[in-house]
Amino acid sequence: MPANTFGELFRITTWGESHGGGVGVVVDGCPPRLEISEAEIQSELDRRRPGQSNLTTARSETDTVQILSGLFEGQTLGTPISMMVWNKDANSAHYADMQHVFRPSHADFTYQAKYGIRNWQGGGRASARETVGRVAAGAVAQKLLQQQASTQIIAFVSSIHTIEAVFDATQVSRELVESSIVRCPDQQATGKMEQAILDAKAAGDSLGGVIMCIVKNVPLGLGAPVFDKLEADLAKACMSIPATKGFEIGSGFAGTRLFGSEHNDPFIKGKDGKTHTTTNNSGGIQGGISNGEDILLRIAFKPTATIAKEQKTVDDTGKETTLAAKGRHDPCVLPRAVPIVEAMVSLVLVDHWLRQKAQCG
Amino acid sequence: MPANTFGELFRITTWGESHGGGVGVVVDGCPPRLEISEAEIQSELDRRRPGQSNLTTARSETDTVQILSGLFEGQTLGTPISMMVWNKDANSAHYADMQHVFRPSHADFTYQAKYGIRNWQGGGRASARETVGRVAAGAVAQKLLQQQASTQIIAFVSSIHTIEAVFDATQVSRELVESSIVRCPDQQATGKMEQAILDAKAAGDSLGGVIMCIVKNVPLGLGAPVFDKLEADLAKACMSIPATKGFEIGSGFAGTRLFGSEHNDPFIKGKDGKTHTTTNNSGGIQGGISNGEDILLRIAFKPTATIAKEQKTVDDTGKETTLAAKGRHDPCVLPRAVPIVEAMVSLVLVDHWLRQKAQCG
Amino acid sequence: MPANTFGELFRITTWGESHGGGVGVVVDGCPPRLEISEAEIQSELDRRRPGQSNLTTARSETDTVQILSGLFEGQTLGTPISMMVWNKDANSAHYADMQHVFRPSHADFTYQAKYGIRNWQGGGRASARETVGRVAAGAVAQKLLQQQASTQIIAFVSSIHTIEAVFDATQVSRELVESSIVRCPDQQATGKMEQAILDAKAAGDSLGGVIMCIVKNVPLGLGAPVFDKLEADLAKACMSIPATKGFEIGSGFAGTRLFGSEHNDPFIKGKDGKTHTTTNNSGGIQGGISNGEDILLRIAFKPTATIAKEQKTVDDTGKETTLAAKGRHDPCVLPRAVPIVEAMVSLVLVDHWLRQKAQCG
Amino acid sequence: MPANTFGELFRITTWGESHGGGVGVVVDGCPPRLEISEAEIQSELDRRRPGQSNLTTARSETDTVQILSGLFEGQTLGTPISMMVWNKDANSAHYADMQHVFRPSHADFTYQAKYGIRNWQGGGRASARETVGRVAAGAVAQKLLQQQASTQIIAFVSSIHTIEAVFDATQVSRELVESSIVRCPDQQATGKMEQAILDAKAAGDSLGGVIMCIVKNVPLGLGAPVFDKLEADLAKACMSIPATKGFEIGSGFAGTRLFGSEHNDPFIKGKDGKTHTTTNNSGGIQGGISNGEDILLRIAFKPTATIAKEQKTVDDTGKETTLAAKGRHDPCVLPRAVPIVEAMVSLVLVDHWLRQKAQCG
């Protein structure tokens, strides 16, 4: 059961609970002779790690990556790359109350129902900590795409709660995003979002929002007809990120309100002599296959389930009770979810790039 | 490359172009001794087939299914079930104009770019005709789920263009849906939708919309943490249907505007003595695993790409030109997409049901 | 469950019982623009079909292949190639005795135990008829390998019962093999083998033997370390052919009796300036990866299980009884198994060739 | 590319080179609530580790396993079990001579040809050290099989070089095997084998041999028709072990010399009231599916490729040279390969046991 494995040719397997030895990933299928350093992987993990700012969980983890195999003298060997991060600041005491009481809208109840056992000291595999492995693997994928096709993957926060950012997606840069404490390219919105998160935190509550991702310089021809359409694989990748509730490619739900004659993207001969489209409702994908235009997608994240406010729930005997959760949780996961989205998108693209080389290369 | 294969344990492989011998599917991994007849499969195909009403393509295909293997005396053998439908009313003449000219927002350009060849006599694998195999396989999956867990999967049209239906999702029945020419449970909206489709058709244009799906009696514990979350697999399944642009589970994008304290679904002890939730923003899935409540999802479909109106495009030499497409295309795919959505949802559920039996049964 | 699917990138799915509609295969992942005709596939099927000579079953099947999808104007489209053959001369009457009585060493008992049902009218999926799909798919794979790397795959009978052929494996040609009624390159042995088979047939008995396969012009670098070693995938492919009991690569079991200093293949600089080995105990594979030398393998086939001689057995209530099987069975499967071995070997090689293009190309 | 992954439902992924951080494995799909301890896994690793006796490499590795995830209070969680062993006694100096010179019949040349890079400080993934992960995972698999079906897997050395052991396979016990320094159930042969290995070592040479494996209490119905026949998956599993050259199930190559009437295993009603066979040429598998009798298989291992004797070879520029390998290598891998064979066999069986539960349970 490949439940902890993602990808066909560039295949990652993640492991680890939030409390226990550590978390890690094995990357299999990476082409040989890619130059990559621990520092490059660490720099992506630093964008994901807790304790970056006053907006994130106070759990203090340096998340220092160790590469255990697959590299030799700074280059990939073509064999599995095993990377891990040790758990350091796990505090199980915070979870004592939750040993027998299920957090509403969290995975406690369903894990118990499915497996008949769960590591209640932390969120187990449902913890955001599991995504360490995704981000480490995504750093390798992004390096490969960047090197092979100058592909650039930029995710950012486009809304938090009711605050909508204003931006031109095609102009957003990694630098602009990183200059915002909430990773939003709109400076004004950033201030309001920061305040809203702090307010929610103070109230023992939490916020959700939308992350957008744009991919530039996508190789033409990635994806496949039928089940492995590029947008279908991107949807799965993004909806596998904890707390996601929706996915849109290109025009998304808004596109359902257009006529075909409005929605269709006319083809033209571009200045580069190649075929391009004048609009991009397709979001860079037609018939499941990339058309060379920017890929544009949006992901809905619900507000964090674990909150300090008291809520109605049941315990593991089915008895009704209440819970005000302790522990150190992000009042809003979006700022830290940005590198996770980039990682998942890069994993889909690199996988389809290898598949394209195999069948049509 | 499993591009034409879906599922891990209940695995389907579809084949066939819209013009050529036929289309079909091989279902592998179906449990033995399931009673199922050609008639039951045919009845699902009849809901998908063209020419059902004046709202769909005039292409006349009876889509009569033939079961070529895997059954014996009315029961499944546990070996591959091969089913097919012959192509009968393919009219390649309609496609002559499109041999060298790419339809905007269709797969013509990307297929040619990817493969360097395409069957221009029809839409090849991008044709909705490919979904015949999905619906046939879905009929088997639904029978199995129905028999094992009384699971019921009901999809329906919730909006077309700007016309929104009004309904209580938990009260929608298959009968109610089938009584509407557009498969919408709101009778008033049905009339407006029908007219809107006819108007678009007359104008040589097309419409999109939203399909909703509700699943009742979902077994508790289906799905898996991390990559194969039930919502992730549902997202992939639904976004692999032609013309889809968005996917939502439970609260979807609207849920991003709620506080955590509003969005969380409180647990209670239900009248049946089991744990239930009082609200269902989770859409029946928490931590990637079904919690026993109804699964609720929504899918955005864009307006049909192939329209009779003249549009700007390029030909296969890159030269700019215009195209007013001939051929018999649905001005709105949604009414016929309803059974396709049900098929894809059932395939995901039956696969995870078998996976659950394997690991935790 | 991919039980009826073989290959990762060049992936085939076979279907069909010996009695019922027909048998077939779907080939997914084939590169586009390969020129291939129905006639080329038919010519391989003709080598496998029953009724070729007085040594094979009298069942009369023309095994005429129909290509249902995946080709356009004589070239592959890159989409699934669906091929089938209808069953014509199935005679269920021969099987009436076996409805309730299990043939010794056949699959009747284990199928019934596993599935609780079986198509007793013929051997179901255990029938050699299932291999029609393998041979059809193998014809595509061989064409591809031949075109891309001039790779040549030649299998032949090296022994039947106690009769051992004498030959120089590196000199055996397809023509030489086809000139022998038992597909053995040794003319003298051919005569003895033919007689032995006819004698066994007359006695209501059956014979086994060994098939050898040599592959020339194997691209360097095919295979993978660890689980997907080229010899491991070849072993699985060959041991999935009905009636096989053993597999050897290179020196095989005899190699266990040599010293390391005798067994190791010294490297030299060849006349072509490339690295070669002076001996080939490795059978063309070192560390799981092809070294460019000829691949050499051997497969043991047991004598046909279904025989006319009376044997002790039990019925499906567990009661002891006897059985003298009716039906038309090959007294020796080896002559017809030769193209099946070639098909399976070619499927492994083409799959690893695509994998090599993906990761290291 | 699942090249470092084995199994469908009970799926292991191994990683690590012989020189570098360490070696490990991730086990995914294990049922929850299996009680298993680090000590149980360690005891299997101890049987595999170097330096057990004067017959094995002098490399000193304690191979102490660390379980990094997937267990909680002594029970499996149903989530990935990550286990690793650090490399300690790696001595790259021994490999300096081999940086540019290829060992005959080793993976040096093919790895370099495939990847264009290799970790020449040790054998990389071709090192027997890679099998640490297999044995650790196999310990979990064996515990599960033992607990669920009292299945017992016993491998042992049946020959080394020309010395053949005499034994009754059905009477061999784990204790008997472990009491022999070469893991051979025949005490007399043990002495001769020990001497032969010491003689070969003294001569700078190496020996091969045959390992046999018997599996008792195999659940009825494991395996699948067509490609995933139980013997095919066992063949792949066993032929993926380094240095293997051949595989036999049941009668093997010797069975090709019998008549069908001699080879067929007659069914009888056993004393337990169940159907059994009086002989076991089938080796416990018929039609790819276990019939409940003991599984019997044999594996050929070539003599170790790395030897101290001087041999002809080439360097990485293609120039001819000679090599007398330094380093600490087993003169005969068979004694240490016994637990590896048991691990691989158990992984196949547990995987098919879960598959059987899924489809037919």
Side-chain angles (χ1 to χ4, degrees):
Chain A
M1 203 161 310
N4 296 277
T5 293
F6 187 81
E8 291 292 320
L9 295 190
F10 192 95
R11 182 174 282 212
I12 76 166
T13 301
T14 70
W15 55 267
E17 277 80 38
S18 60
H19 292 62
V23 290
V25 66
V26 182
V27 179
D28 198 7
C30 183
R33 299 189 312 278
L34 174 73
E35 290 191 21
I36 190 146
S37 66
E38 235 162 35
E40 289 171 284
I41 290 156
Q42 191 61 53
S43 109
E44 284 303 305
L45 287 177
D46 287 347
R47 298 173 68 214
R48 192 217 73 91
R49 82 175 173 81
Q52 291 175 50
S53 77
N54 59 342
L55 302 184
T56 64
T57 164
R59 178 168 172 171
S60 167
E61 294 281 1
T62 56
D63 283 356
T64 307
V65 71
Q66 263 187 290
I67 302 182
L68 299 168
S69 72
L71 261 78
F72 184 64
E73 300 181 341
Q75 293 194 316
T76 56
L77 283 163
T79 53
I81 305 168
S82 178
M83 300 184 276
M84 78 168 290
V85 155
W86 295 93
N87 290 332
K88 296 204 167 142
D89 187 29
N91 189 335
S92 302
H94 287 147
Y95 288 86
D97 291 355
M98 302 183 221
Q99 180 171 4
H100 297 294
V101 178
F102 300 131
R103 283 171 287 175
S105 289
H106 208 286
D108 303 336
F109 170 68
T110 51
Y111 272 48
Q112 190 68 40
K114 183 180 185 71
Y115 298 116
I117 185 175
R118 76 195 154 96
N119 182 344
W120 53 265
Q121 300 176 329
R125 291 292 282 164
S127 163
R129 209 153 167 67
E130 176 273 327
T131 60
V132 160
R134 306 186 187 209
V135 170
V140 181
Q142 284 179 74
K143 183 80 190 278
L144 206 50
L145 289 167
Q146 215 283 325
Q147 194 192 69
Q148 294 290 330
S150 305
T151 305
Q152 253 195 302
I153 300 165
I154 301 168
F156 55 88
V157 171
S158 75
S159 73
I160 284 182
H161 201 230
T162 56
I163 307 159
E164 303 268 352
V166 178
F167 53 84
D168 173 354
T170 65
Q171 298 305 312
V172 175
S173 69
R174 174 71 70 96
E175 291 66 36
L176 187 58
V177 174
E178 291 305 299
S179 70
S180 159
I181 193 170
V182 291
R183 294 205 166 87
C184 170
D186 174 348
Q187 231 179 330
Q188 276 204 309
T190 290
K192 292 184 199 164
M193 289 170 175
E194 183 178 6
Q195 194 53 52
I197 296 172
L198 292 173
D199 290 351
K201 188 181 178 180
D205 216 325
S206 65
L207 301 180
V210 174
I211 288 181
M212 189 160 178
C213 184
I214 181 165
V215 190
K216 297 176 187 182
N217 298 329
V218 184
L220 182 57
L222 301 194
V226 191
F227 301 115
D228 294 357
K229 288 188 166 77
L230 195 55
E231 65 269 44
D233 280 350
L234 287 167
K236 168 161 177 157
C238 294
M239 294 296 296
S240 80
I241 300 173
T244 52
K245 302 303 292 180
F247 174 87
E248 292 184 324
I249 187 84
S251 64
F253 281 89
T256 67
R257 302 172 79 88
L258 299 178
F259 285 104
S261 56
E262 297 167 314
H263 191 277
N264 282 347
D265 297 316
F267 284 118
I268 52 154
K269 186 170 183 165
K271 287 174 189 166
D272 56 3
K274 292 180 186 163
T275 296
H276 287 283
T277 63
T278 56
T279 53
N280 192 7
N281 286 313
S282 301
I285 305 173
Q286 290 170 335
I289 297 166
S290 64
N291 66 359
E293 305 299 313
D294 292 347
I295 290 180
L296 286 157
L297 55 88
R298 298 173 76 244
I299 308 165
F301 286 81
K302 69 172 185 177
T304 315
T306 310
I307 55 176
K309 266 197 178 166
E310 192 176 88
Q311 301 172 87
K312 286 190 184 172
T313 186
V314 297
D315 65 20
D316 55 13
T317 69
K319 219 188 94 194
E320 298 190 353
T321 181
T322 60
L323 178 74
K326 289 177 195 145
R328 297 158 302 181
H329 300 280
D330 289 82
C332 178
V333 299
L334 279 89
R336 287 177 60 204
V338 163
I340 304 171
V341 168
E342 291 170 349
M344 293 311 297
V345 169
S346 70
L347 290 169
V348 171
L349 294 178
V350 86
D351 195 45
H352 276 283
W353 172 67
L354 292 177
R355 289 168 69 165
Q356 175 69 355
K357 274 212 301 172
Q359 194 186 11
C360 306
Chain B
M1 201 163 310
N4 295 280
T5 294
F6 187 81
E8 291 291 321
L9 296 190
F10 192 96
R11 184 173 280 210
I12 75 165
T13 300
T14 69
W15 55 268
E17 278 81 36
S18 60
H19 291 62
V23 289
V25 66
V26 182
V27 179
D28 197 7
C30 184
R33 299 188 312 278
L34 174 74
E35 289 190 21
I36 190 146
S37 66
E38 236 163 34
E40 289 171 284
I41 290 156
Q42 190 63 50
S43 109
E44 285 302 306
L45 287 176
D46 287 347
R47 297 173 68 216
R48 194 217 71 92
R49 80 175 173 82
Q52 294 174 47
S53 76
N54 59 342
L55 301 184
T56 64
T57 165
R59 179 168 172 169
S60 167
E61 293 281 2
T62 56
D63 283 355
T64 307
V65 70
Q66 263 187 290
I67 302 181
L68 301 169
S69 71
L71 261 77
F72 184 63
E73 299 179 345
Q75 292 194 315
T76 56
L77 283 164
T79 54
I81 306 167
S82 179
M83 300 183 276
M84 79 168 288
V85 154
W86 295 93
N87 289 332
K88 296 207 167 141
D89 187 30
N91 188 336
S92 302
H94 287 147
Y95 287 86
D97 291 354
M98 302 182 222
Q99 179 172 4
H100 297 294
V101 178
F102 300 130
R103 282 171 288 175
S105 290
H106 209 286
D108 303 335
F109 170 68
T110 51
Y111 272 48
Q112 189 69 39
K114 183 179 185 72
Y115 297 117
I117 184 175
R118 75 195 155 96
N119 182 344
W120 54 264
Q121 298 177 332
R125 290 291 282 164
S127 164
R129 208 151 169 68
E130 176 273 328
T131 60
V132 160
R134 305 186 187 211
V135 171
V140 181
Q142 285 178 75
K143 182 80 190 278
L144 205 50
L145 289 166
Q146 217 280 327
Q147 193 192 70
Q148 294 289 330
S150 305
T151 306
Q152 252 195 303
I153 300 165
I154 301 168
F156 55 89
V157 170
S158 75
S159 73
I160 283 181
H161 201 230
T162 57
I163 306 159
E164 303 268 353
V166 178
F167 54 85
D168 173 354
T170 64
Q171 299 305 314
V172 175
S173 67
R174 174 71 71 95
E175 292 64 36
L176 187 59
V177 174
E178 291 306 299
S179 70
S180 159
I181 192 171
V182 291
R183 295 204 166 88
C184 171
D186 174 349
Q187 230 179 332
Q188 276 204 307
T190 291
K192 293 184 199 164
M193 289 171 175
E194 182 178 6
Q195 193 54 51
I197 295 172
L198 293 173
D199 290 352
K201 188 181 177 181
D205 215 326
S206 65
L207 301 180
V210 175
I211 287 182
M212 190 159 178
C213 184
I214 182 164
V215 190
K216 298 176 187 183
N217 299 329
V218 185
L220 182 56
L222 301 194
V226 190
F227 301 115
D228 294 356
K229 287 188 167 76
L230 195 55
E231 66 269 44
D233 280 352
L234 287 168
K236 169 161 176 157
C238 294
M239 294 296 295
S240 79
I241 300 173
T244 52
K245 302 302 290 182
F247 174 86
E248 292 184 324
I249 186 84
S251 64
F253 281 89
T256 68
R257 303 172 79 89
L258 299 178
F259 285 105
S261 56
E262 298 168 313
H263 191 276
N264 282 348
D265 297 317
F267 284 118
I268 52 155
K269 187 170 183 165
K271 289 175 190 165
D272 56 3
K274 293 182 186 161
T275 297
H276 287 283
T277 63
T278 56
T279 54
N280 193 6
N281 286 314
S282 300
I285 305 173
Q286 290 170 334
I289 296 166
S290 63
N291 67 359
E293 305 299 313
D294 292 347
I295 290 180
L296 286 157
L297 56 88
R298 298 173 76 243
I299 309 165
F301 285 82
K302 69 172 187 177
T304 315
T306 310
I307 56 176
K309 265 197 178 168
E310 190 176 270
Q311 301 172 88
K312 285 189 183 174
T313 188
V314 298
D315 65 21
D316 55 13
T317 69
K319 221 188 92 193
E320 298 189 354
T321 179
T322 60
L323 177 75
K326 289 176 196 148
R328 299 158 301 180
H329 301 279
D330 289 82
C332 177
V333 299
L334 279 89
R336 287 177 59 204
V338 163
I340 303 170
V341 168
E342 291 170 348
M344 292 311 297
V345 169
S346 70
L347 290 169
V348 171
L349 294 178
V350 87
D351 195 44
H352 276 283
W353 172 69
L354 292 177
R355 288 167 71 164
Q356 174 69 355
K357 274 210 304 170
Q359 194 187 10
C360 305
Chain C
M1 200 160 313
N4 295 279
T5 294
F6 187 81
E8 291 291 320
L9 296 189
F10 192 96
R11 185 174 279 212
I12 76 164
T13 301
T14 69
W15 57 267
E17 277 81 38
S18 61
H19 291 62
V23 290
V25 66
V26 182
V27 179
D28 198 7
C30 183
R33 300 190 310 280
L34 174 74
E35 290 191 22
I36 190 146
S37 66
E38 235 162 36
E40 288 171 285
I41 290 156
Q42 191 61 53
S43 108
E44 285 303 306
L45 288 176
D46 287 347
R47 298 173 68 214
R48 194 217 71 91
R49 81 173 174 82
Q52 292 175 48
S53 76
N54 60 340
L55 302 184
T56 64
T57 164
R59 179 167 172 173
S60 167
E61 294 281 359
T62 57
D63 283 354
T64 308
V65 70
Q66 263 186 292
I67 302 181
L68 300 169
S69 71
L71 260 78
F72 185 63
E73 299 180 343
Q75 292 194 316
T76 56
L77 283 163
T79 54
I81 306 167
S82 179
M83 301 183 275
M84 79 168 288
V85 155
W86 295 93
N87 289 332
K88 298 208 164 138
D89 187 29
N91 189 336
S92 301
H94 288 147
Y95 287 86
D97 291 354
M98 302 183 223
Q99 179 170 6
H100 298 293
V101 178
F102 301 131
R103 282 171 287 175
S105 290
H106 209 286
D108 302 336
F109 169 67
T110 52
Y111 273 48
Q112 189 69 39
K114 182 179 187 72
Y115 298 117
I117 185 175
R118 76 194 154 97
N119 182 343
W120 53 264
Q121 299 176 330
R125 291 291 281 163
S127 163
R129 209 153 167 68
E130 176 273 328
T131 60
V132 160
R134 306 186 188 211
V135 171
V140 182
Q142 284 179 75
K143 183 80 189 276
L144 205 50
L145 289 166
Q146 216 281 326
Q147 193 192 71
Q148 293 290 330
S150 305
T151 305
Q152 253 195 302
I153 300 165
I154 301 168
F156 55 88
V157 170
S158 74
S159 72
I160 284 181
H161 201 232
T162 56
I163 307 159
E164 304 267 353
V166 178
F167 54 85
D168 172 355
T170 65
Q171 299 306 313
V172 175
S173 67
R174 175 70 71 95
E175 292 65 36
L176 187 59
V177 174
E178 291 306 300
S179 70
S180 158
I181 193 171
V182 290
R183 295 203 166 89
C184 171
D186 174 350
Q187 231 179 331
Q188 276 203 308
T190 291
K192 293 182 200 166
M193 290 170 175
E194 183 177 6
Q195 192 55 50
I197 296 172
L198 293 174
D199 290 351
K201 189 181 178 181
D205 215 325
S206 64
L207 301 180
V210 174
I211 288 181
M212 190 162 180
C213 183
I214 182 165
V215 190
K216 298 177 187 183
N217 299 328
V218 184
L220 183 56
L222 301 194
V226 190
F227 302 114
D228 294 356
K229 288 189 168 74
L230 195 56
E231 65 268 44
D233 281 351
L234 287 167
K236 169 160 175 156
C238 294
M239 294 296 296
S240 79
I241 300 172
T244 53
K245 302 303 290 182
F247 174 86
E248 292 184 322
I249 187 83
S251 63
F253 281 89
T256 68
R257 305 173 79 88
L258 300 179
F259 285 104
S261 56
E262 297 168 313
H263 191 276
N264 282 348
D265 297 316
F267 284 118
I268 51 154
K269 186 169 184 166
K271 288 176 190 164
D272 56 4
K274 293 181 186 162
T275 296
H276 287 283
T277 62
T278 55
T279 53
N280 193 6
N281 286 312
S282 299
I285 305 174
Q286 291 171 334
I289 297 165
S290 63
N291 66 359
E293 305 300 312
D294 292 347
I295 290 180
L296 286 158
L297 55 87
R298 298 173 76 243
I299 309 165
F301 286 81
K302 70 172 185 177
T304 314
T306 310
I307 55 176
K309 266 197 178 168
E310 190 177 88
Q311 301 173 89
K312 286 190 183 173
T313 186
V314 297
D315 66 21
D316 55 14
T317 69
K319 219 187 93 194
E320 299 190 353
T321 179
T322 60
L323 177 74
K326 289 175 194 149
R328 299 158 299 181
H329 301 279
D330 289 82
C332 178
V333 299
L334 280 90
R336 286 178 58 205
V338 163
I340 303 171
V341 168
E342 290 170 348
M344 292 312 296
V345 169
S346 70
L347 290 168
V348 171
L349 294 179
V350 86
D351 195 44
H352 276 282
W353 172 68
L354 292 175
R355 289 169 69 165
Q356 174 70 352
K357 275 211 302 171
Q359 192 186 10
C360 305
Chain D
M1 204 162 310
N4 295 278
T5 294
F6 187 81
E8 292 292 320
L9 295 190
F10 191 95
R11 183 175 281 211
I12 76 164
T13 302
T14 69
W15 56 267
E17 277 80 36
S18 60
H19 292 62
V23 290
V25 66
V26 182
V27 179
D28 198 6
C30 183
R33 300 189 311 279
L34 174 73
E35 290 191 22
I36 189 146
S37 66
E38 236 162 34
E40 289 171 284
I41 290 156
Q42 190 62 52
S43 108
E44 284 304 305
L45 287 176
D46 287 346
R47 298 173 68 214
R48 193 218 72 92
R49 83 173 171 80
Q52 293 175 47
S53 76
N54 60 341
L55 301 184
T56 63
T57 163
R59 178 168 172 171
S60 168
E61 294 280 1
T62 57
D63 283 356
T64 308
V65 72
Q66 263 187 289
I67 302 181
L68 301 168
S69 72
L71 261 78
F72 185 62
E73 300 179 343
Q75 291 194 316
T76 56
L77 284 163
T79 54
I81 305 167
S82 179
M83 300 183 276
M84 79 168 289
V85 156
W86 296 93
N87 289 332
K88 296 206 167 138
D89 186 30
N91 189 335
S92 301
H94 287 147
Y95 287 86
D97 291 355
M98 302 182 221
Q99 180 171 4
H100 298 294
V101 177
F102 299 131
R103 281 171 289 175
S105 290
H106 209 285
D108 303 336
F109 170 67
T110 50
Y111 273 48
Q112 190 68 40
K114 182 178 185 73
Y115 297 118
I117 185 175
R118 76 194 156 97
N119 183 343
W120 53 265
Q121 299 177 329
R125 292 290 282 163
S127 164
R129 211 156 165 66
E130 176 273 327
T131 59
V132 161
R134 305 187 188 209
V135 171
V140 182
Q142 284 178 75
K143 182 80 191 276
L144 205 50
L145 289 167
Q146 216 281 324
Q147 194 191 70
Q148 294 290 330
S150 304
T151 306
Q152 252 195 305
I153 299 164
I154 301 167
F156 55 88
V157 170
S158 74
S159 73
I160 284 181
H161 201 230
T162 55
I163 307 159
E164 304 267 352
V166 178
F167 54 86
D168 172 355
T170 64
Q171 298 306 314
V172 175
S173 68
R174 175 70 70 96
E175 293 64 36
L176 187 59
V177 174
E178 291 305 299
S179 71
S180 159
I181 192 169
V182 291
R183 295 202 166 87
C184 171
D186 173 348
Q187 231 179 329
Q188 275 205 308
T190 292
K192 292 184 200 164
M193 288 170 175
E194 183 178 7
Q195 193 54 51
I197 296 173
L198 293 173
D199 290 351
K201 190 182 178 181
D205 215 325
S206 64
L207 301 180
V210 174
I211 287 181
M212 189 160 178
C213 185
I214 181 164
V215 191
K216 297 176 187 182
N217 298 329
V218 184
L220 183 55
L222 302 194
V226 191
F227 301 115
D228 295 356
K229 288 188 167 77
L230 195 55
E231 66 269 43
D233 280 351
L234 287 167
K236 168 159 178 160
C238 294
M239 294 296 295
S240 79
I241 300 173
T244 51
K245 302 303 290 180
F247 174 87
E248 292 185 322
I249 187 84
S251 64
F253 281 89
T256 67
R257 303 172 79 88
L258 299 179
F259 285 104
S261 55
E262 297 167 311
H263 192 276
N264 283 348
D265 296 316
F267 285 118
I268 52 153
K269 186 170 186 168
K271 288 175 190 166
D272 56 3
K274 292 180 187 162
T275 297
H276 287 282
T277 62
T278 55
T279 53
N280 192 6
N281 286 312
S282 300
I285 305 173
Q286 290 170 333
I289 296 166
S290 63
N291 66 359
E293 304 300 313
D294 293 347
I295 290 180
L296 286 158
L297 54 87
R298 297 172 77 243
I299 309 165
F301 286 82
K302 70 172 185 177
T304 315
T306 310
I307 55 176
K309 264 197 179 168
E310 191 176 271
Q311 301 172 89
K312 285 190 184 172
T313 186
V314 298
D315 65 20
D316 55 14
T317 69
K319 219 187 95 195
E320 298 189 355
T321 179
T322 60
L323 177 76
K326 288 175 197 149
R328 298 159 302 181
H329 300 279
D330 289 82
C332 178
V333 299
L334 280 90
R336 288 178 59 204
V338 163
I340 303 170
V341 167
E342 289 170 349
M344 293 311 299
V345 168
S346 69
L347 290 168
V348 171
L349 294 179
V350 86
D351 194 46
H352 276 284
W353 172 67
L354 292 176
R355 289 168 70 165
Q356 175 69 354
K357 275 211 302 171
Q359 193 186 10
C360 306

